[in-house]
Amino acid sequence: SHFMPQLLQKLLAITQRTDFENESEIRITAYEAINLMVANSALDMHPMIVHLLTETLGRLELSFNPQLDAQERNHLQSHLSSLIGEIVKKLDQATIAPFCDRVMMMLLKVFELKGSIAHEDAMLAMGHVAEKMEGGFIRYAQHVQAPLLTGLKSIDEAQLVTISVGFVGDLCRSLGAAVKPFCDEIVGCLLQLLQAQKVNRSAKPHVIAVFSDIAMAIEGDFDRYAVVVLNILKQAGEINISGDDEDLIDYINTLRHSILDTYTGILHV
């Protein structure tokens, strides 16, 4: 802990230097090191982490300067969103709460830039905020709906789809029954993902598993989706393994595990 403040300041300074030959790689490495320091910081360093959050939010706000190169802005916002998520994970709810409005405002602004690689990290960070704030996240639920649905519809971007599906789970666990007004559109997107041929198959077990989170959140109101979802589970469970393709075998096993989890969640309610 004794050396952490000095190390953080040095690393933060490195992220802003432009005199390195391979400055992009060095900047990535510096931000990764900062994330690791935050994740492994001791309790006595929390005031420093709060100060770091303030500085990170300030940097993210400045990154929306239209004079910045688009690619540089995308990468910078990705690093800063990731760092915000790591800080939110580290601090307790009482410490994070006063910053939540600004955190969410900045993260949501990232989604205004279409096709940005930062969307994945911003979505992950919002998931950490939802997890930390629990029912208090309801004040942001309506605002996150548009970027969430866009992420779920991004069938050509498997990673963004998977992260968006994970965010659905975060919302369900945080909001409980309060997530119900948003479920029709979310479930509609999830069903489209399962039917779409272009979606990377690695995302589909996650899609199936999140129906369990939805069922446990809205309980008896899940009946409106039960017939369709149970039919999908039945069809998915009938996929057989043929040949000795190890990747396919792993995929089928993962799929079956997700199916069982979802059956369990539905039966639980």
Side-chain angles (χ1 to χ4, degrees):
S1 294
H2 177 70
F3 299 104
M4 185 172 176
Q6 294 90 339
L7 283 171
L8 273 178
Q9 289 305 314
K10 293 290 186 183
L11 288 168
L12 287 168
I14 288 173
T15 63
Q16 293 187 308
R17 286 181 60 174
T18 58
D19 57 337
F20 292 116
E21 184 176 342
N22 54 343
E23 63 180 71
S24 177
E25 293 180 12
I26 291 174
R27 186 177 294 118
I28 291 171
T29 303
Y31 273 114
E32 287 176 348
I34 293 170
N35 280 8
L36 285 171
M37 290 182 70
V38 169
N40 294 284
S41 60
L43 189 62
D44 63 335
M45 285 294 101
H46 281 198
M48 171 64 67
I49 303 303
V50 171
H51 177 75
L52 178 62
L53 176 58
T54 302
E55 178 159 347
T56 305
L57 288 169
R59 289 190 180 197
L60 185 54
E61 188 169 10
L62 291 173
S63 73
F64 295 102
N65 183 343
Q67 295 181 346
L68 275 180
D69 173 75
Q71 185 175 5
E72 179 184 351
R73 178 172 57 243
N74 289 344
H75 285 289
L76 178 58
Q77 290 180 354
S78 178
H79 299 319
L80 294 171
S81 296
S82 176
L83 179 53
I84 288 170
E86 203 63 58
I87 292 171
V88 170
K89 281 169 60 180
K90 189 66 179 180
L91 299 176
D92 59 35
Q93 185 186 95
T95 305
I96 284 296
F99 297 93
C100 270
D101 283 355
R102 191 177 178 207
V103 166
M104 290 302 298
M105 182 175 69
M106 289 294 101
L107 292 175
L108 287 167
K109 198 169 182 180
V110 171
F111 291 96
E112 294 177 7
L113 303 172
K114 306 301 181 186
S116 172
I117 61 171
H119 289 183
E120 296 175 10
D121 290 299
M123 189 78 73
L124 281 170
M126 291 198 306
H128 295 319
V129 176
E131 184 179 7
K132 189 69 64 173
M133 296 309 298
E134 299 176 326
F137 194 79
I138 188 63
R139 64 186 285 128
Y140 311 112
Q142 189 171 359
H143 302 287
V144 303
Q145 187 177 18
L148 172 58
L149 295 177
T150 299
L152 292 173
K153 293 174 183 177
S154 302
I155 60 175
D156 294 324
E157 302 176 58
Q159 186 67 13
L160 179 58
V161 166
T162 301
I163 290 172
S164 300
V165 170
F167 185 43
V168 172
D170 294 330
L171 286 177
C172 290
R173 289 185 292 273
S174 299
L175 302 183
V179 80
K180 180 187 171 184
F182 311 100
C183 282
D184 282 355
E185 288 188 277
I186 289 173
V187 170
C189 287
L190 294 174
L191 294 176
Q192 288 175 15
L193 284 172
L194 291 175
Q195 294 166 359
Q197 297 296 321
K198 291 176 65 178
V199 175
N200 190 299
R201 72 183 185 190
S202 64
K204 294 195 174 184
H206 298 282
V207 176
I208 287 175
V210 84
F211 282 115
S212 175
D213 294 312
I214 295 172
M216 295 183 74
I218 64 175
E219 298 183 332
D221 289 310
F222 190 78
D223 285 351
R224 63 195 300 170
Y225 313 119
V227 173
V228 175
V229 172
L230 289 172
N231 186 49
I232 287 174
L233 296 180
K234 180 177 180 295
Q235 292 176 16
E238 291 172 350
I239 298 175
N240 293 316
I241 298 175
S242 58
D244 55 359
D245 185 331
E246 291 188 6
D247 289 338
L248 179 60
I249 292 171
D250 287 342
Y251 166 71
I252 297 296
N253 287 334
T254 302
L255 186 67
R256 288 174 176 172
H257 190 275
S258 296
I259 292 168
L260 288 173
D261 281 347
T262 302
Y263 273 128
T264 302
I266 293 172
L267 290 172
H268 180 76
V269 300

